[in-house]
Amino acid sequence: MIEKKGMGTWLTHAVLILGVLTVAFPIYVTFVASSLTLREVLDAPMTLIPGSHLVENYRTALFSGTRMNATPVAGMLLNSLIMALVIASGKIVISLLSAFAVVYFRFPLRMVFFWMIFITLMLPVEVRILPTFKVVSDLEMLNSFPGLTIPLIASATATFLFRQFFMTIPDELVEASKIDGAGPMRFFRDVLLPLSRTNIAALFVILFIYGWNQYLWPLLITTDHRMDTIVIGIRRMLAAGDDQIEWPVVMATTMLAMIPPVLVVVVMQRWFVKGLVDSEK
Amino acid sequence: MAEVSLRGVKKQFGATQVIHGVDCEIEDGEFVVIVGPSGCGKSTLLRMIAGLEEVSSGDIAIAGKVVNTVEPKDRNIAMVFQNYALYPHMSVYENMAYGLKIRGLPKTEIRERVDRAAGILQIEALLERRPRQLSGGQRQRVAMGRAIVRDPAVFLFDEPLSNLDAKLRVQMRVEIRKLHQTLRTTSVYVTHDQVEAMTLADRLIVMNAGRVEQIGTPITLYEDPATLFVAGFLGSPAMNFLSGSVSADGRSVALPGGVTAPLAATHGAAAGRPVTVGIRPEHLDLAGDAPPTATIKVDLVELLGADTIVHGRIGDGGLLLARIDGAVPIRTGESLPVVLAPNAVHLFDPGTGARI
């Protein structure tokens, strides 16, 4: 890499710092707001120095929720976590298996199936939401975890990604394992899975955040407060009607909602950086 | 230990026939090399023995048992691949142990077998490493180790040395040969490199365009090639081919530029016919005081130290290579008188390529 000197260094740093500030400032404001009383938040201009009600606000959010929407955030976090984990792992399992089938087995209409999966890329949840809702409601899966997760699990993107990856694995590896006596599932478990682990980690991060951020689908199929996810919860807290919105608690909830995705990114980051550095094939 | 029999083995992919019937008996403990140019079907033949390709017709038998429909793992074979095909996420030890683990051998026996194979190949120090931390030669050893631990009836090698550099290739070639002398396992080895083929083989199978050209010991094939193809394929530099015609009495052959070469035997049947004349470069020698057979017009001289390769011409179309022992000072443009041993002249039918 060529090192820049003098003005160049200053300029690049200035741009980078500006970028970081742009991203970090709103989060900082949220954090500050979550540590103030409602009166302090409503002061104009709002102070940018953290206040002394941090613990109190977070406790309220976690264990009792706002007065109008008396659902504790702890439960919503758990709901969101279950939904995001099931969606992410479900998508990965299903797409690994379907990519395995499409790449390594010769069965009738193989390419037809592949294209069928591929075409669903063009049909995101929003497009097929009414028929999907009808199916889920007919199956009596409203207000349940299966209803929340199963329709979101089928994934063309991940299948396609794994297919492309499997196709880069040399055929000789398959043949060597055949001679070693490994059956198809053994090969899948002992060779394909370990080789795909960095891909799986990267996908898991993306899919976990996808699941965590789901809004439209949970909004449609959950009416029971006990099934609220955190994203839905935040919206309900804002719909306070004539009442004053309890901004400090809402902001605390927002901060809490950010923690799991951030954790997932931070923990998994090591994995896929490692995956990028030592490409072993 | 086992013998391998190929009986009328054919292979077609769709409508294209790639192997047109191969018959061969490989004896127990024999090292057989299948050699031929790219695309001659030699790898396909090996893969059929391994069970990685189906046999379209004919039979393949290992140890007297027809294995056409037997799974690769049940054929009691081990294969070494061109790209090594080591499992990248497993250590060297795990790579070698994997096949045994699947077969359900007890841990202590696996350990024992891997250690023994590692000892034979001198890779004990590498057992904990990953394949990517190894050099090409080391990877090749591991690949062979994986084959050895299985203690198979037949070893199959699919161009195992072609990814190595020239020096390492020579070294590994010697080691494979030594290994075979130690283990005495029936081996089938595929290569396009004729030097590898000549040095390793007990017997050679020369293939061309899906057909077996000739089967025999390397020296038989070298000295007594059955076809023009075998004659041209084996030997480096390659055999010279000149068009000529046999004299009326069948005792000599006329070459371009008015040269007449005597023949060792009388070819009465071929008398007066046009033929392709094959002469190995090393069978041309400086005439010295003897009466020369021909005079070569020298175009180019390659001094290799141990010998000198002379590129020259006789007459108009007759390009000729001569390989002369030692470093001989020959200049480009010179006219070089050479002699030719009569029993070193091979005659081939220019139409069919068959030896006359």
Side-chain angles (χ1 to χ4, degrees):
Chain A
M1 213 192 291
I2 300 163
E3 287 205 26
K4 288 207 177 93
K5 285 193 180 121
M7 274 305 285
T9 325
W10 286 105
L11 192 69
T12 39
H13 277 83
V15 171
L16 285 174
I17 289 168
L18 199 71
V20 170
L21 286 179
T22 317
V23 175
F25 185 68
I27 298 174
Y28 178 71
V29 173
T30 312
F31 172 73
V32 171
S34 72
S35 69
L36 303 172
T37 60
L38 181 57
R39 181 178 296 276
E40 284 168 320
V41 172
L42 293 177
D43 271 354
M46 192 189 95
T47 170
L48 287 179
I49 299 155
S52 56
H53 297 267
L54 186 82
V55 178
E56 179 192 326
N57 287 337
Y58 280 84
R59 191 181 293 141
T60 316
L62 270 178
F63 303 113
S64 45
T66 55
R67 253 172 290 123
M68 285 307 294
N69 182 54
T71 317
V73 171
M76 300 186 206
L77 281 173
L78 186 69
N79 288 347
S80 276
L81 191 70
I82 294 171
M83 182 173 81
L85 282 178
V86 171
I87 290 178
S89 24
K91 268 177 185 274
I92 286 172
V93 169
I94 293 217
S95 40
L96 267 172
L97 287 172
S98 45
F100 178 54
V102 166
V103 175
Y104 288 102
F105 294 88
R106 304 276 163 276
F107 52 90
L109 302 181
R110 189 172 66 98
M111 285 319 279
V112 174
F113 281 109
F114 173 69
W115 282 106
M116 267 167 59
I117 296 172
F118 196 59
I119 279 168
T120 60
L121 267 179
M122 289 186 255
L123 301 170
V125 177
E126 291 74 9
V127 176
R128 54 187 164 89
I129 201 150
L130 284 176
T132 313
F133 180 82
K134 170 81 175 134
V135 171
V136 169
S137 111
D138 285 354
L139 292 173
E140 297 184 355
M141 293 202 297
L142 295 178
N143 278 320
S144 71
F145 280 113
L148 266 178
T149 51
I150 290 172
L152 299 177
I153 279 178
S155 176
T157 335
T159 308
F160 190 66
L161 208 119
F162 282 124
R163 171 182 179 263
Q164 297 308 95
F165 174 68
F166 289 168
M167 296 207 316
T168 66
I169 290 177
D171 284 346
E172 290 189 338
L173 225 48
V174 186
E175 291 170 353
S177 75
K178 264 189 209 167
I179 288 177
D180 269 338
M185 287 323 282
R186 185 96 201 217
F187 170 72
F188 179 72
R189 203 185 71 201
D190 289 349
V191 180
L192 280 186
L193 270 189
L195 287 179
S196 333
R197 59 176 191 256
T198 50
N199 286 42
I200 293 174
L203 257 181
F204 182 83
V205 172
I206 296 166
L207 296 177
F208 181 87
I209 292 170
Y210 165 85
W212 187 265
N213 287 343
Q214 277 306 313
Y215 174 67
L216 188 57
W217 183 247
L219 183 68
L220 268 181
I221 75 145
T222 58
T223 44
D224 187 340
H225 278 332
R226 281 171 303 172
M227 290 304 297
D228 273 356
T229 63
I230 187 90
V231 179
I232 299 295
I234 293 172
R235 192 204 62 96
R236 284 208 217 274
M237 286 179 180
L238 294 176
D242 292 339
D243 251 5
Q244 183 56 260
I245 299 172
E246 290 175 65
W247 285 111
V249 180
V250 176
M251 290 298 114
T253 310
T254 319
M255 290 306 288
L256 287 170
M258 264 188 283
I259 293 170
V262 168
L263 275 182
V264 167
V265 170
V266 169
V267 171
M268 292 300 220
Q269 195 187 18
R270 283 217 217 110
W271 279 68
F272 62 78
V273 169
K274 189 172 165 255
L276 294 179
V277 175
D278 49 50
S279 65
E280 34 182 355
K281 226 175 280 155
Chain B
M1 297 270 162
E3 57 284 350
V4 177
S5 325
L6 309 175
R7 299 182 206 113
V9 173
K10 289 182 185 172
K11 177 73 188 173
Q12 51 200 61
F13 292 110
T16 347
Q17 182 110 15
V18 290
I19 291 180
H20 305 264
V22 172
D23 289 282
C24 179
E25 296 290 328
I26 298 167
E27 281 158 34
D28 183 24
E30 200 178 16
F31 199 115
V32 167
V33 176
I34 306 175
V35 65
S38 305
C40 71
K42 56 189 190 300
S43 278
T44 311
L45 188 62
L46 189 80
R47 291 164 58 81
M48 286 198 287
I49 300 176
L52 298 170
E53 297 280 358
E54 263 174 59
V55 180
S56 302
S57 76
D59 282 333
I60 293 178
I62 297 176
K65 189 178 140 232
V66 175
V67 292
N68 287 15
T69 55
V70 176
E71 288 285 316
K73 66 179 162 88
D74 301 323
R75 291 192 181 195
N76 200 11
I77 46 134
M79 188 156 169
V80 178
F81 293 88
Q82 183 177 352
N83 305 328
Y84 323 126
L86 300 175
Y87 307 115
H89 57 291
M90 294 185 196
S91 70
V92 168
Y93 180 85
E94 289 166 325
N95 260 290
M96 287 165 70
Y98 187 60
L100 303 180
K101 209 172 101 188
I102 290 179
R103 282 204 255 163
L105 261 64
K107 276 224 169 72
T108 47
E109 194 185 340
I110 295 181
R111 180 93 238 175
E112 214 171 276
R113 282 208 198 185
V114 173
D115 283 343
R116 197 183 328 133
I120 295 173
L121 294 162
Q122 297 166 347
I123 50 171
E124 295 105 322
L126 309 176
L127 285 179
E128 295 315 312
R129 295 210 202 156
R130 293 290 168 92
R132 76 189 134 88
Q133 296 166 309
L134 305 177
S135 68
Q138 289 170 331
R139 284 182 206 191
Q140 193 54 67
R141 274 168 214 261
V142 176
M144 288 201 290
R146 184 167 65 179
I148 293 173
V149 290
R150 303 196 48 195
D151 194 16
V154 185
F155 275 134
L156 304 173
F157 297 89
D158 189 5
E159 308 212 19
L161 304 183
S162 49
N163 284 3
L164 303 179
D165 63 53
K167 200 178 163 195
L168 206 53
R169 205 179 304 163
V170 174
Q171 192 189 329
M172 289 302 289
R173 201 169 76 202
V174 175
E175 285 189 26
I176 291 180
R177 185 71 207 171
K178 279 187 188 155
L179 191 68
H180 180 251
Q181 282 169 355
T182 323
L183 300 175
R184 285 275 151 216
T185 307
T186 314
S187 304
V188 184
Y189 186 108
V190 160
T191 180
H192 61 264
D193 183 315
Q194 49 100 7
V195 181
E196 237 170 82
M198 294 289 289
T199 50
L200 282 171
D202 290 331
R203 267 199 308 161
L204 269 179
I205 301 177
V206 180
M207 283 187 75
N208 182 34
R211 288 192 170 80
V212 171
E213 293 273 337
Q214 196 175 358
I215 301 176
T217 63
I219 211 67
T220 314
L221 265 59
Y222 188 81
E223 288 178 345
D224 207 7
T227 64
L228 196 62
F229 178 83
V230 176
F233 192 79
L234 298 178
S236 172
M239 188 185 266
N240 296 300
F241 293 118
L242 301 164
S243 52
S245 58
V246 179
S247 65
D249 60 3
R251 283 192 195 164
S252 66
V253 60
L255 296 173
V259 176
T260 307
L263 296 172
T266 309
H267 288 271
R273 268 174 52 188
V275 288
T276 300
V277 182
I279 302 165
R280 293 222 178 263
E282 65 267 31
H283 291 146
L284 288 166
D285 204 355
L286 297 178
D289 298 334
T293 317
T295 304
I296 299 179
K297 183 110 172 55
V298 179
D299 289 331
L300 187 76
V301 180
E302 292 174 308
L303 278 169
L304 301 176
D307 40 30
T308 306
I309 314 265
V310 179
H311 297 245
R313 275 173 292 146
I314 50 168
D316 287 333
L319 288 173
L320 210 58
L321 254 71
R323 177 174 176 170
I324 294 157
D325 283 346
V328 186
I330 299 167
R331 281 188 312 278
T332 306
E334 197 176 319
S335 288
L336 192 69
V338 291
V339 283
L340 170 65
N343 56 2
V345 177
H346 305 280
L347 300 182
F348 301 96
D349 184 314
T352 62
R355 178 87 177 272
I356 299 172

